[in-house]
Amino acid sequence: MPKRMTVKIVLAVMTLVLLSLVLPVCAGTQAYPELPLQEMRIAAYTKAFAERFGLPAPPPGTEPSGGLQAIEFAIEKGPKWAPRYYCNFYLYVDSSLPIKYPEEGVAGEKYMLITTTHFFGRAYEQWMEWSLQDRRYSTGLDGKYNRKARMATKNYMPGKQGAISDLDYIEFHKNILPNLDYLKLNFSPFSLMINKVNNGVDIWVQQRGNTDYRSRIKSDSSDFIKFSIPEVVLQKIRQWGNQAKEANRKINAVIRDKSDQ
Protein backbone atom coordinates (compact mmCIF):
# COMPACT_ATOMS: atom_id res chain seq x y z
CA MET A 1 0.00 0.00 0.00
CA PRO A 2 1.46 3.43 -0.92
CA LYS A 3 2.76 5.46 2.01
CA ARG A 4 0.48 8.43 1.19
CA MET A 5 -2.61 6.18 1.26
CA THR A 6 -1.55 4.70 4.61
CA VAL A 7 -1.25 8.18 6.13
CA LYS A 8 -4.74 9.12 4.90
CA ILE A 9 -6.25 5.98 6.42
CA VAL A 10 -4.54 6.61 9.77
CA LEU A 11 -5.76 10.21 9.83
CA ALA A 12 -9.30 9.12 9.00
CA VAL A 13 -9.31 6.56 11.81
CA MET A 14 -7.97 9.12 14.30
CA THR A 15 -10.68 11.59 13.25
CA LEU A 16 -13.42 9.00 13.82
CA VAL A 17 -12.01 8.16 17.25
CA LEU A 18 -11.94 11.82 18.27
CA LEU A 19 -15.49 12.38 17.03
CA SER A 20 -16.72 9.36 18.98
CA LEU A 21 -15.31 10.93 22.13
CA VAL A 22 -16.51 14.48 21.53
CA LEU A 23 -20.00 14.00 20.05
CA PRO A 24 -21.59 12.24 23.06
CA VAL A 25 -20.41 15.08 25.29
CA CYS A 26 -21.84 17.70 22.96
CA ALA A 27 -25.09 15.79 22.57
CA GLY A 28 -25.37 15.30 26.31
CA THR A 29 -25.12 19.02 26.97
CA GLN A 30 -28.04 19.71 24.63
CA ALA A 31 -30.36 16.81 25.49
CA TYR A 32 -33.06 17.13 28.12
CA PRO A 33 -32.72 14.59 30.95
CA GLU A 34 -35.28 11.81 30.73
CA LEU A 35 -36.93 10.41 33.85
CA PRO A 36 -38.59 6.94 34.01
CA LEU A 37 -42.09 8.44 34.18
CA GLN A 38 -43.84 5.08 33.84
CA GLU A 39 -42.28 4.13 37.18
CA MET A 40 -42.97 7.43 38.93
CA ARG A 41 -46.63 6.91 39.82
CA ILE A 42 -48.18 5.72 43.06
CA ALA A 43 -51.79 5.36 44.21
CA ALA A 44 -53.51 4.85 47.53
CA TYR A 45 -57.20 4.12 47.99
CA THR A 46 -59.81 2.97 50.46
CA LYS A 47 -61.02 -0.58 50.90
CA ALA A 48 -64.43 0.39 49.48
CA PHE A 49 -62.75 1.88 46.38
CA ALA A 50 -60.75 -1.32 45.91
CA GLU A 51 -63.87 -3.47 46.14
CA ARG A 52 -65.76 -1.25 43.71
CA PHE A 53 -63.09 -1.33 41.01
CA GLY A 54 -61.55 -4.77 41.52
CA LEU A 55 -58.23 -3.54 42.91
CA PRO A 56 -55.96 -5.33 45.38
CA ALA A 57 -56.84 -4.67 49.00
CA PRO A 58 -54.98 -1.61 50.34
CA PRO A 59 -52.06 -2.37 52.67
CA PRO A 60 -52.69 -1.51 56.33
CA GLY A 61 -52.15 2.15 57.16
CA THR A 62 -52.33 3.42 53.58
CA GLU A 63 -56.04 4.24 53.20
CA PRO A 64 -57.08 7.86 52.62
CA SER A 65 -59.95 9.29 54.65
CA GLY A 66 -62.25 12.27 55.04
CA GLY A 67 -64.11 11.79 51.76
CA LEU A 68 -60.96 11.16 49.73
CA GLN A 69 -61.57 7.75 48.17
CA ALA A 70 -58.36 7.52 46.14
CA ILE A 71 -55.26 9.55 45.36
CA GLU A 72 -52.64 9.06 42.67
CA PHE A 73 -49.40 11.02 42.56
CA ALA A 74 -47.33 11.18 39.38
CA ILE A 75 -44.36 13.01 37.90
CA GLU A 76 -45.28 14.10 34.38
CA LYS A 77 -43.76 16.20 31.64
CA GLY A 78 -45.31 19.52 30.73
CA PRO A 79 -46.42 20.61 27.24
CA LYS A 80 -43.93 21.48 24.48
CA TRP A 81 -43.94 25.15 25.43
CA ALA A 82 -43.01 24.22 29.03
CA PRO A 83 -40.82 21.08 28.72
CA ARG A 84 -40.17 20.61 32.42
CA TYR A 85 -41.33 18.03 34.93
CA TYR A 86 -44.34 18.67 37.15
CA CYS A 87 -45.96 16.98 40.11
CA ASN A 88 -49.61 16.00 39.72
CA PHE A 89 -52.29 14.77 42.07
CA TYR A 90 -55.28 12.82 40.79
CA LEU A 91 -58.00 12.90 43.45
CA TYR A 92 -61.22 10.89 43.56
CA VAL A 93 -63.57 12.25 46.19
CA ASP A 94 -67.12 11.88 47.45
CA SER A 95 -69.51 13.86 45.26
CA SER A 96 -71.30 15.07 48.38
CA LEU A 97 -68.36 17.26 49.44
CA PRO A 98 -69.09 21.02 49.07
CA ILE A 99 -66.06 21.75 46.89
CA LYS A 100 -65.77 25.13 45.17
CA TYR A 101 -64.77 24.10 41.67
CA PRO A 102 -63.18 26.55 39.21
CA GLU A 103 -66.37 26.69 37.14
CA GLU A 104 -70.06 26.04 37.65
CA GLY A 105 -70.32 23.44 34.89
CA VAL A 106 -69.97 19.69 35.16
CA ALA A 107 -66.35 19.69 34.00
CA GLY A 108 -63.52 22.00 33.02
CA GLU A 109 -59.91 22.01 31.82
CA LYS A 110 -57.35 24.75 32.39
CA TYR A 111 -55.32 24.14 29.21
CA MET A 112 -58.26 25.25 27.08
CA LEU A 113 -58.02 28.67 28.72
CA ILE A 114 -54.26 29.21 28.45
CA THR A 115 -53.48 31.60 25.60
CA THR A 116 -50.52 29.52 24.38
CA THR A 117 -52.92 26.67 23.60
CA HIS A 118 -54.23 28.73 20.68
CA PHE A 119 -52.19 29.63 17.60
CA PHE A 120 -53.07 33.33 17.84
CA GLY A 121 -51.81 33.65 21.41
CA ARG A 122 -48.67 31.51 21.58
CA ALA A 123 -46.25 34.43 21.53
CA TYR A 124 -46.37 37.38 23.90
CA GLU A 125 -46.27 39.76 20.95
CA GLN A 126 -49.34 38.08 19.47
CA TRP A 127 -51.19 38.23 22.78
CA MET A 128 -50.45 41.96 23.07
CA GLU A 129 -52.22 42.46 19.74
CA TRP A 130 -55.46 41.39 21.39
CA SER A 131 -57.83 44.05 22.61
CA LEU A 132 -57.53 44.98 26.27
CA GLN A 133 -61.02 43.59 26.84
CA ASP A 134 -60.04 40.18 25.42
CA ARG A 135 -56.81 40.03 27.43
CA ARG A 136 -58.60 40.82 30.67
CA TYR A 137 -61.34 38.31 29.93
CA SER A 138 -58.82 35.55 29.13
CA THR A 139 -56.76 36.24 32.24
CA GLY A 140 -59.88 36.13 34.38
CA LEU A 141 -60.90 32.71 33.05
CA ASP A 142 -57.42 31.25 33.49
CA GLY A 143 -57.22 32.67 37.00
CA LYS A 144 -60.28 30.72 38.11
CA TYR A 145 -58.15 27.57 38.17
CA ASN A 146 -55.50 29.08 40.46
CA ARG A 147 -55.36 29.45 44.24
CA LYS A 148 -58.33 27.18 44.96
CA ALA A 149 -56.16 24.45 46.45
CA ARG A 150 -53.13 24.22 48.71
CA MET A 151 -50.65 21.77 50.13
CA ALA A 152 -49.69 22.44 53.74
CA THR A 153 -47.88 20.74 56.58
CA LYS A 154 -50.20 19.62 59.36
CA ASN A 155 -48.50 21.97 61.81
CA TYR A 156 -48.97 25.00 59.55
CA MET A 157 -49.77 28.25 61.33
CA PRO A 158 -49.54 31.43 59.20
CA GLY A 159 -46.37 33.34 59.98
CA LYS A 160 -45.45 31.03 62.85
CA GLN A 161 -44.61 27.50 61.76
CA GLY A 162 -44.94 24.93 59.01
CA ALA A 163 -45.14 25.53 55.27
CA ILE A 164 -47.80 25.98 52.60
CA SER A 165 -47.77 26.17 48.79
CA ASP A 166 -50.36 26.60 46.05
CA LEU A 167 -51.85 23.84 43.92
CA ASP A 168 -53.45 24.67 40.57
CA TYR A 169 -56.47 22.91 39.15
CA ILE A 170 -55.67 21.34 35.78
CA GLU A 171 -59.03 19.67 35.22
CA PHE A 172 -62.06 18.39 37.07
CA HIS A 173 -65.23 16.43 36.44
CA LYS A 174 -68.17 16.18 38.81
CA ASN A 175 -69.75 12.73 39.04
CA ILE A 176 -67.25 11.15 36.70
CA LEU A 177 -68.91 8.01 38.06
CA PRO A 178 -71.89 7.81 40.43
CA ASN A 179 -71.01 9.53 43.73
CA LEU A 180 -67.42 10.10 42.60
CA ASP A 181 -65.83 13.44 41.62
CA TYR A 182 -62.43 13.76 39.92
CA LEU A 183 -59.83 16.52 40.37
CA LYS A 184 -56.36 16.92 38.89
CA LEU A 185 -54.08 19.31 40.78
CA ASN A 186 -50.62 20.44 39.73
CA PHE A 187 -47.53 21.98 41.28
CA SER A 188 -43.89 22.53 40.42
CA PRO A 189 -41.21 20.59 42.36
CA PHE A 190 -39.67 23.97 43.21
CA SER A 191 -42.72 24.93 45.26
CA LEU A 192 -42.79 21.78 47.40
CA MET A 193 -41.61 21.56 50.99
CA ILE A 194 -39.93 18.32 49.91
CA ASN A 195 -37.25 18.02 52.58
CA LYS A 196 -38.95 19.74 55.49
CA VAL A 197 -39.32 17.65 58.62
CA ASN A 198 -42.96 17.67 59.70
CA ASN A 199 -45.73 15.49 61.03
CA GLY A 200 -47.48 15.04 57.71
CA VAL A 201 -48.91 17.02 54.81
CA ASP A 202 -52.51 17.81 53.83
CA ILE A 203 -54.10 18.78 50.54
CA TRP A 204 -56.54 21.66 50.94
CA VAL A 205 -59.36 22.26 48.45
CA GLN A 206 -61.52 25.33 48.79
CA GLN A 207 -65.10 24.72 49.81
CA ARG A 208 -68.09 26.71 48.63
CA GLY A 209 -68.19 30.26 49.89
CA ASN A 210 -67.68 33.86 48.83
CA THR A 211 -63.92 34.19 49.42
CA ASP A 212 -61.94 34.91 46.23
CA TYR A 213 -58.32 33.90 46.81
CA ARG A 214 -57.12 35.34 43.50
CA SER A 215 -56.84 38.67 45.29
CA ARG A 216 -56.01 37.40 48.77
CA ILE A 217 -52.65 36.11 50.01
CA LYS A 218 -53.36 34.75 53.48
CA SER A 219 -55.23 31.43 53.57
CA ASP A 220 -57.95 30.87 56.15
CA SER A 221 -57.95 27.14 56.90
CA SER A 222 -61.70 27.23 57.63
CA ASP A 223 -62.32 27.95 53.93
CA PHE A 224 -60.85 24.61 52.90
CA ILE A 225 -61.57 20.88 53.06
CA LYS A 226 -58.45 18.98 54.11
CA PHE A 227 -57.29 15.57 52.88
CA SER A 228 -54.33 13.91 54.57
CA ILE A 229 -51.72 12.54 52.15
CA PRO A 230 -50.96 8.91 53.10
CA GLU A 231 -47.37 8.52 54.29
CA VAL A 232 -46.60 5.93 51.59
CA VAL A 233 -47.48 8.55 48.96
CA LEU A 234 -45.68 11.36 50.77
CA GLN A 235 -42.43 9.38 50.78
CA LYS A 236 -42.56 9.08 46.98
CA ILE A 237 -43.41 12.76 46.61
CA ARG A 238 -40.19 13.61 48.42
CA GLN A 239 -38.08 11.08 46.50
CA TRP A 240 -39.43 11.73 43.01
CA GLY A 241 -39.92 15.43 43.62
CA ASN A 242 -36.21 15.82 44.28
CA GLN A 243 -35.40 13.92 41.09
CA ALA A 244 -37.76 16.13 39.09
CA LYS A 245 -36.29 19.24 40.69
CA GLU A 246 -32.76 18.22 39.66
CA ALA A 247 -33.91 17.31 36.13
CA ASN A 248 -35.60 20.70 35.78
CA ARG A 249 -32.39 22.41 36.86
CA LYS A 250 -30.55 20.67 34.01
CA ILE A 251 -33.35 21.45 31.55
CA ASN A 252 -33.15 25.13 32.47
CA ALA A 253 -29.39 25.05 31.86
CA VAL A 254 -29.90 23.51 28.40
CA ILE A 255 -32.53 26.13 27.55
CA ARG A 256 -30.16 28.92 28.62
CA ASP A 257 -27.34 27.42 26.53
CA LYS A 258 -29.57 27.25 23.46
CA SER A 259 -30.75 30.83 23.91
CA ASP A 260 -27.13 32.02 24.12
CA GLN A 261 -26.14 30.34 20.85
Side-chain angles (χ1 to χ4, degrees):
M1 182 181 295
K3 184 176 181 181
R4 183 176 297 177
M5 181 65 70
T6 302
V7 172
K8 288 183 177 180
I9 292 174
V10 171
L11 289 174
V13 171
M14 291 177 64
T15 300
L16 289 173
V17 171
L18 289 172
L19 286 174
S20 68
L21 294 174
V22 173
L23 286 177
V25 175
C26 294
T29 59
Q30 295 301 320
Y32 292 154
E34 294 292 336
L35 295 179
L37 299 182
Q38 68 279 4
E39 301 172 9
M40 303 178 84
R41 309 185 76 97
I42 185 172
Y45 43 81
T46 65
K47 182 179 179 181
F49 192 90
E51 292 173 349
R52 179 176 181 179
F53 297 107
L55 298 171
T62 65
E63 291 187 63
S65 59
L68 177 62
Q69 296 191 30
I71 176 174
E72 183 184 28
F73 171 77
I75 300 292
E76 296 176 334
K77 209 164 195 176
K80 290 182 179 180
W81 47 266
R84 297 170 181 82
Y85 292 102
Y86 294 87
C87 302
N88 292 299
F89 286 119
Y90 296 81
L91 306 183
Y92 301 86
V93 305
D94 293 348
S95 296
S96 60
L97 293 174
I99 295 174
K100 184 176 183 178
Y101 286 102
E103 301 185 66
E104 293 297 328
V106 173
E109 183 183 17
K110 181 178 181 178
Y111 284 132
M112 293 186 296
L113 308 177
I114 297 175
T115 58
T116 49
T117 299
H118 309 286
F119 75 91
F120 51 91
R122 287 182 185 144
Y124 176 76
E125 294 78 10
Q126 289 176 319
W127 183 72
M128 287 302 295
E129 292 295 324
W130 295 15
S131 69
L132 180 60
Q133 180 182 3
D134 282 347
R135 293 203 306 270
R136 285 177 173 172
Y137 183 85
S138 175
T139 302
L141 285 181
D142 183 5
K144 289 183 178 181
Y145 283 73
N146 303 331
R147 308 216 71 236
K148 282 188 170 62
R150 308 279 191 278
M151 183 165 48
T153 57
K154 288 184 179 295
N155 65 344
Y156 173 70
M157 294 180 63
K160 296 182 179 180
Q161 64 180 14
I164 191 169
S165 62
D166 284 350
L167 299 173
D168 291 340
Y169 272 84
I170 297 300
E171 58 192 18
F172 71 93
H173 199 298
K174 303 172 187 176
N175 285 298
I176 196 167
L177 286 169
N179 303 315
L180 191 68
D181 283 8
Y182 159 73
L183 302 72
K184 181 179 179 181
L185 306 175
N186 165 279
F187 64 98
S188 166
F190 292 101
S191 67
L192 176 62
M193 62 289 290
I194 294 174
N195 295 317
K196 289 186 178 294
V197 177
N198 53 67
N199 61 345
V201 177
D202 291 334
I203 294 173
W204 298 11
V205 293
Q206 190 176 358
Q207 59 184 337
R208 295 179 200 135
N210 297 322
T211 306
D212 187 350
Y213 276 97
R214 289 177 295 176
S215 57
R216 179 174 173 175
I217 297 176
K218 186 178 179 181
S219 300
D220 185 344
S221 62
S222 64
D223 288 334
F224 295 84
I225 300 168
K226 301 179 183 66
F227 303 123
S228 181
I229 301 176
E231 182 61 29
V232 64
V233 176
L234 189 57
Q235 289 175 4
K236 292 301 183 182
I237 293 175
R238 292 193 177 105
Q239 176 187 342
W240 297 336
N242 274 319
Q243 293 177 25
K245 185 175 181 179
E246 177 61 18
N248 284 347
R249 185 188 66 78
K250 294 178 180 178
I251 290 172
N252 290 336
V254 172
I255 292 174
R256 285 195 299 269
D257 289 344
K258 288 183 177 180
S259 64
D260 292 339
Q261 292 176 358

